[in-house]
Amino acid sequence: RTTRSINHRSSRSSSNHQINHRSSKSQIIRVRSTNHNHFIIIIQFLFCYSHVNYFDSFQTTLRVPGSSIINSVDQFNSEKNEQRTENHANFKLYKSMQKKQSLPSTRSTLSTSKKIFSSSCSISTLQESYSNIIVSQQNPTPSTPKKQGHLSVGLIELNRPKALNALSDALFDDLIHATMALNDDEQIGSIVITGKGKAFAAGADISEMCGQQFSDVYKKNMFAQWADVKKSSKPVIAAVNGFALGGGCELAMMCDIILASTNAKFGQPEINLGIIPGAGGTQRLVRAIGKSKAMDMILTGNMISADQAEKDGLVAKVIEREKLVEEAIAMGLLIGRKSQIAVRMAKEAVNCADEMSLEQGLNYERRLFHSLFATNDQKEGMDAFLNKRDPDFTHS
């Protein structure tokens, strides 16, 4: 009887434990269900109210398990606050522009002020004149029949001949502004950059650099803005006459095509000043002529001739000095007769070759090739070929 009583008590204890376990489990389920409902409430609250200030107090009293939801909420709050700050700043800018330019008063929406802000910041036109460069538009000669789709060439001449066109900050500011303005001009198909006088560009302006400290050049990220020349979606041709040294050689390598006069000289002599190339010389030169030859030029500071540069693959053509700019403009006009959509895609595909693996590059090329079949120029080009006539591209 005692054994039976003990077994009975053990059985009842086990049964009670199972009941208690089930009860606690059901409580856990209810708690999780409640927490789940809280999550739903949070999400509904987020979508119902655009102003996150109302949610801040609600969030602090409802810190339920599951930090991923709360982290998302915190991120949402942060983004909304940043958006309100940006909107407020844009609206203040718009109001100040109203006072300066007597813009029509409007209280429609903040998108109006954003539109005005973006248009005022875009570079769409050339300045009437520049301090350090000369800019002109080169049109086809009267002897060359021009169709409506044929585009002109923008010619930029570096104009500091007494300093051998040393690349000062002011000169590069002018160069970048003019390049971007020509890039925005729908009548321009390509850009030619050359130098006035005896040099294309003899390098960066040493007089500006010699007194600067590490903290100065590091904080302003010296030469970073030079790469803006490569942001042009239109082909840029460098017509190198005379010296292209240091920054001048680096500027030429930023262009898509390099034409050189017979007296041109290329070099990276920064090593003679106790520094190294800082605007792409150690990177672009290797890609252009290979590691060994690039090391030779960079470590010794030696210059190479135009003929050697052509042999090494740095230069596309060597031309008589008197005809250099004329030939560069003629090349630009020839490019301006092609479909500009195809020209831009071709430039994009070639430039990506340095950044992608072969497989990625081939796939990217095919996608661009396929996309051109959605253009009117593809239809016009193939129809002109089949009917043995010159195409008249509309760049559409």
Side-chain angles (χ1 to χ4, degrees):
R1 184 182 301 172
T2 302
T3 303
R4 186 182 300 172
S5 175
I6 291 172
N7 291 337
H8 180 66
R9 288 174 185 172
S10 175
S11 174
R12 289 182 61 186
S13 175
S14 175
S15 176
N16 289 338
H17 178 71
Q18 291 178 0
I19 292 172
N20 291 336
H21 178 69
R22 289 171 186 166
S23 176
S24 62
K25 188 174 182 181
S26 64
Q27 289 176 0
I28 292 172
I29 292 172
R30 281 199 296 273
V31 170
R32 289 180 178 174
S33 176
T34 302
N35 292 340
H36 180 68
N37 292 335
H38 289 170
F39 287 128
I40 294 174
I41 292 171
I42 291 174
I43 295 170
Q44 289 176 342
F45 201 90
L46 281 173
F47 282 97
C48 288
Y49 292 93
S50 60
H51 297 289
V52 298
N53 288 338
Y54 296 107
F55 183 74
D56 291 338
S57 59
F58 184 76
Q59 175 190 331
T60 55
T61 59
L62 201 60
R63 286 280 169 177
V64 295
S67 59
S68 59
I69 297 294
I70 297 302
N71 290 339
S72 299
V73 170
D74 292 338
Q75 183 180 0
F76 179 84
N77 287 343
S78 176
E79 291 174 354
K80 292 293 287 183
N81 287 331
E82 290 176 0
Q83 184 65 39
R84 282 207 305 273
T85 302
E86 180 184 356
N87 289 345
H88 181 66
N90 287 336
F91 186 73
K92 286 178 67 178
L93 177 60
Y94 170 66
K95 296 302 289 183
S96 65
M97 291 172 63
Q98 272 188 325
K99 294 179 181 179
K100 291 181 180 179
Q101 303 179 11
S102 300
L103 295 174
S105 178
T106 178
R107 298 182 62 182
S108 55
T109 57
L110 205 55
S111 61
T112 306
S113 64
K114 283 185 176 180
K115 185 175 181 180
I116 294 174
F117 174 75
S118 61
S119 63
S120 66
C121 289
S122 63
I123 301 173
S124 57
T125 56
L126 289 166
Q127 295 179 9
E128 292 184 2
S129 63
Y130 294 91
S131 300
N132 300 283
I133 61 174
I134 300 172
V135 184
S136 59
Q137 180 173 323
Q138 304 295 316
N139 300 313
T141 59
S143 59
T144 305
K146 180 183 177 183
K147 296 185 179 181
Q148 186 174 2
H150 293 181
L151 302 181
S152 302
V153 174
L155 175 62
I156 301 176
E157 298 174 273
L158 310 182
N159 191 30
R160 294 186 69 198
K162 293 182 179 180
L164 297 179
N165 297 321
L167 301 173
S168 63
D169 290 341
L171 186 149
F172 234 98
D173 288 342
D174 288 350
L175 176 61
I176 292 170
H177 186 282
T179 302
M180 293 299 101
L182 292 172
N183 187 64
D184 290 342
D185 191 337
E186 294 182 354
Q187 298 303 314
I188 299 296
S190 59
I191 301 167
V192 173
I193 300 176
T194 190
K196 278 277 189 183
K198 299 179 180 179
F200 174 75
D205 195 330
I206 305 302
S207 62
E208 286 186 348
M209 298 169 56
C210 64
Q212 301 197 50
Q213 302 295 325
F214 165 75
S215 58
D216 301 324
V217 298
Y218 180 76
K219 286 189 292 185
K220 70 179 182 181
N221 201 9
M222 178 185 282
F223 296 157
Q225 77 277 15
W226 286 25
D228 288 349
V229 172
K230 283 194 67 67
K231 292 181 180 179
S232 171
S233 59
K234 297 177 180 179
V236 181
I237 303 169
V240 177
N241 53 305
F243 294 109
L245 306 177
C249 186
E250 289 168 316
L251 172 59
M253 289 190 290
M254 292 179 197
C255 300
D256 301 304
I257 302 171
I258 302 177
L259 304 180
S261 65
T262 51
N263 68 326
K265 299 286 185 181
F266 297 85
Q268 298 290 164
E270 290 89 347
I271 199 74
N272 298 325
L273 303 177
I275 56 175
I276 67 169
T282 64
Q283 305 302 306
R284 294 191 178 97
L285 192 60
V286 173
R287 288 166 168 79
I289 65 176
K291 177 183 174 182
S292 184
K293 291 182 178 180
M295 282 287 194
D296 180 17
M297 291 179 64
I298 292 169
L299 297 182
T300 66
N302 291 336
M303 295 183 290
I304 60 173
S305 65
D307 291 332
Q308 184 64 43
E310 182 184 26
K311 181 180 177 181
D312 292 343
L314 180 62
V315 167
K317 292 181 182 179
V318 177
I319 303 167
E320 292 295 329
R321 182 180 179 182
E322 295 76 15
K323 297 182 179 180
L324 175 65
V325 176
E326 180 184 342
E327 290 287 335
I329 293 172
M331 178 180 286
L333 291 173
L334 179 60
I335 294 172
R337 299 176 63 179
K338 314 300 181 184
S339 166
Q340 293 306 293
I341 300 176
V343 167
R344 293 189 184 196
M345 286 193 179
K347 172 177 174 173
E348 186 178 341
V350 172
N351 285 337
C352 283
D354 285 337
E355 311 297 334
M356 296 180 176
S357 67
L358 178 60
E359 186 64 29
Q360 291 171 330
L362 292 172
N363 185 62
Y364 188 67
E365 177 191 70
R366 281 195 300 273
R367 293 297 174 261
L368 292 178
F369 170 78
H370 297 158
S371 66
L372 286 168
F373 280 76
T375 66
N376 295 325
D377 286 349
Q378 175 266 332
K379 306 297 185 296
E380 167 63 16
M382 292 190 175
D383 182 73
F385 176 81
L386 293 175
N387 290 285
K388 298 184 168 104
R389 60 178 178 85
D390 292 333
D392 189 7
F393 294 116
T394 59
H395 317 303
S396 62

